[in-house]
Amino acid sequence: MTAMSSLYAEHLALLKQRSDAALAKAGFDHLVIASGVEKYQFLDDRPYPFKPNPHFKHWVPLQQHPHSWIAYTPGSKPVLAYYQPDDYWHVPPSPPEGFWVEHFDIRILREPSDAAAHLPRGRVAIVGEADAALEGVVPNNPKVLLDELHYQRGYKTAYELDRMRRAQRRAVKGHRAAEAAFRAGASELEIHRAYLEATGHGDLDLPYTNIIGLNAHAAVLHYQYQSPERPAKPLSFLIDAGAEVDGYASDITRTYAAHDGAFAELIAAVDDEQQALCGMVRNGADYRDLHLECHLRLGSVLRNAGIVDMDPGAMVSEGVTSVFFPHGLGHPIGLQVHDVAGRHDADGNEIPRPTGHPYLRTTRKLGPGMVVTIEPGLYFIPTLLAKLKAGPNAKAVDWDQVDAMTPYGGVRIEDEVVCTEGAPENITRDAFAESA
Ligand code: GLY
Ligand code: MN
Ligand code: MN
């Protein structure tokens, strides 16, 4: 057995155990998972890029396989109903191969509807989108089962951590190339292309659309364009870009300044706080405390930089830090960039966000095997600043400094950190260090 196949065997054994428990809890005898169907543009024969049901790719490292199914009955070898059409318009999926195939009873399908004959009937939990339904096989997505599976998915297996470390290394190649392109004066579009080239990704298989913002575009949290124009004067560059390996995502942000000065110092200060926060990803830590700690620390950064003259605690309680840091500290990541169950327990009960922090995606306590992003930022967002200027705390702000920083957009630094029994493992920093 290769290292990979034994890691996968262990992963699958744990998935089965978790599924056994979730089926028993929810009162079902079988678990059926639809990969999904290709979706077509309205009144057209052009499909949208296919993205599989994450439950499907949890079991098998297959990303481009619509109309396929997994059927699992506790105690039996899982069935993979594998759609492999005779299609001369497209390249059909190749025969299944790799370290994982021996673990499945594989049935080849030539027509999507053929799957129905291979799937169990009776008390079946069927996980999938409504449009995957076949005759007699209609997704029911039992909430009790999904809540349990989603919660457990927060704890990554050794196989998943291996895939995620690889997804870091793949993205870091792109981040290195992107920084070099920025330093050479490239446009956002040119930087994006350099990223794709270095990672070997195309636009369609990125885990999310790259955020490539020069100058004031760095203040747009999910900036969605890539301008082909080279800026007359490059000042700053924010890149939030990931990669994927066997369906597992990375999500990394770096910010660069074109020259020394106050903005470069702000990046360094946010980076220091980011690393300190990464160090707090510890067994038993409540992610909400990390988020609030982040606000306090960013308040200190704002005060030390002379941007806001207020006590950091007051800045947090008055909502001033939220003007400069209007998103959450981070989220679980894995099969999905914003992975499931960041704010719910195993019974689906919501774990509330702190009051005044509506965008925080993670409220769970951390435990070994969980992987979260830590992504503090400080931004100069004109619409939010205008509200601050019109309010009672305006007098505490050095508006000349704010105006001087606004053309630089903002700073975000984002890493993925694995919670362990002991010291956290920052898989993003490790990948950057390896590539140095
Ligand atoms: N790339 C989106 C995020 O950082 O959550
Ligand atoms: Mn993120
Ligand atoms: Mn990101």
Side-chain angles (χ1 to χ4, degrees):
M1 244 195 197
T2 64
M4 186 45 61
S5 60
S6 67
L7 277 180
Y8 177 76
E10 205 184 275
H11 167 76
L12 192 63
L14 191 66
L15 270 195
K16 289 180 186 170
Q17 268 180 31
R18 289 180 184 173
S19 302
D20 295 352
L23 286 166
K25 183 175 176 183
F28 291 92
D29 300 324
H30 314 276
L31 173 63
V32 163
I33 300 170
S35 68
V37 302
E38 268 191 314
K39 295 175 179 33
Y40 283 76
Q41 296 172 30
F42 185 51
L43 300 179
D44 207 334
D45 63 356
R46 309 277 318 140
Y48 290 108
F50 176 72
K51 299 288 173 189
N53 173 355
H55 287 269
F56 183 81
K57 61 178 184 164
H58 205 191
W59 284 73
V60 285
L62 299 175
Q63 274 71 250
Q64 288 305 315
H65 294 76
H67 306 296
S68 294
W69 297 76
I70 285 163
Y72 170 65
T73 303
S76 309
K77 193 172 194 175
V79 168
L80 172 65
Y82 185 92
Y83 180 57
Q84 194 185 24
D86 184 7
D87 178 356
Y88 52 82
W89 293 97
H90 305 99
V91 177
S94 49
E97 58 175 17
F99 52 81
W100 57 274
V101 294
E102 63 180 284
H103 299 282
F104 288 84
D105 172 0
I106 296 178
R107 323 271 177 88
I108 301 292
L109 314 173
R110 296 294 181 211
E111 296 295 335
S113 59
D114 292 349
H118 300 283
L119 303 176
R121 303 301 158 102
R123 297 200 312 165
V124 192
I126 305 173
V127 176
E129 290 179 276
D131 57 10
L134 299 172
E135 182 86 41
V137 185
V138 179
N140 53 5
N141 295 310
K143 180 168 170 5
V144 171
L145 174 120
L146 287 181
D147 286 338
E148 176 70 25
L149 290 179
H150 287 171
Y151 181 81
Q152 298 301 344
R153 212 170 93 193
Y155 305 102
K156 271 57 184 179
T157 64
Y159 164 80
E160 294 181 293
L161 293 175
D162 176 84
R163 307 282 94 182
M164 293 183 73
R165 289 187 196 100
R166 288 170 199 252
Q168 298 292 323
R169 291 184 210 121
R170 187 173 183 186
V172 162
K173 287 184 188 157
H175 277 262
R176 296 274 188 213
E179 183 190 357
F182 164 64
R183 303 270 180 220
S187 70
E188 292 167 354
L189 185 58
E190 288 168 325
I191 295 171
H192 173 64
R193 289 192 182 128
Y195 185 92
L196 294 180
E197 172 80 23
T199 55
H201 267 297
D203 268 308
L204 301 184
D205 61 356
L206 286 169
Y208 59 93
T209 309
N210 280 353
I211 298 167
I212 308 262
L214 292 173
N215 298 349
H217 291 159
V220 183
L221 300 182
H222 284 171
Y223 175 61
Q224 71 273 44
Y225 302 118
Q226 286 135 13
S227 168
E229 305 292 334
R230 294 181 179 188
K233 191 163 178 224
L235 299 171
S236 60
F237 169 41
L238 185 151
I239 171 168
D240 183 341
E244 206 167 283
V245 170
D246 286 339
Y248 288 88
S250 53
D251 175 10
I252 302 175
T253 308
R254 290 292 181 268
T255 310
Y256 303 99
H259 57 81
D260 292 343
F263 187 72
E265 285 164 20
L266 198 66
I267 296 175
V270 173
D271 192 60
D272 284 348
E273 301 307 339
Q274 194 266 1
Q275 293 202 52
L277 291 159
C278 289
M280 297 175 197
V281 174
R282 297 261 172 183
N283 188 9
D286 185 325
Y287 196 89
R288 294 174 294 192
D289 292 340
L290 270 62
H291 174 79
L292 295 172
E293 173 72 19
C294 177
H295 271 268
L296 268 181
R297 286 170 173 268
L298 292 173
S300 295
V301 169
L302 288 167
R303 191 174 59 176
N304 295 341
I307 297 170
V308 183
D309 184 16
M310 254 175 112
D311 168 68
M315 264 193 250
V316 177
S317 58
E318 294 280 308
V320 175
T321 48
S322 296
V323 171
F324 296 92
F325 176 48
H327 59 76
L329 177 59
H331 48 88
I333 180 168
L335 288 163
Q336 291 166 260
V337 177
H338 296 155
D339 218 357
V340 286
R343 298 189 296 111
H344 293 88
D345 68 15
D347 297 321
N349 301 308
E350 188 177 345
I351 306 165
R353 296 171 166 124
T355 307
H357 296 268
Y359 300 115
L360 183 59
R361 294 177 190 273
T362 316
T363 54
R364 270 170 81 166
K365 278 213 165 86
L366 299 175
M370 287 174 77
V371 186
V372 289
T373 69
I374 296 290
E375 48 181 306
L378 281 178
Y379 311 87
F380 300 89
I381 301 172
T383 52
L384 298 183
L385 290 167
K387 287 184 195 145
L388 179 62
K389 203 168 192 171
N393 294 307
K395 57 188 181 307
V397 178
D398 180 339
W399 292 103
D400 289 342
Q401 274 247 52
V402 167
D403 290 345
M405 290 290 204
T406 300
Y408 293 80
V411 181
R412 179 164 65 256
I413 314 276
E414 177 176 24
D415 292 341
E416 268 85 270
V417 185
V418 183
C419 182
T420 75
E421 299 281 357
E425 180 190 350
N426 186 324
I427 56 178
T428 309
R429 300 265 167 176
D430 288 351
F432 272 104
E434 231 177 74
S435 83

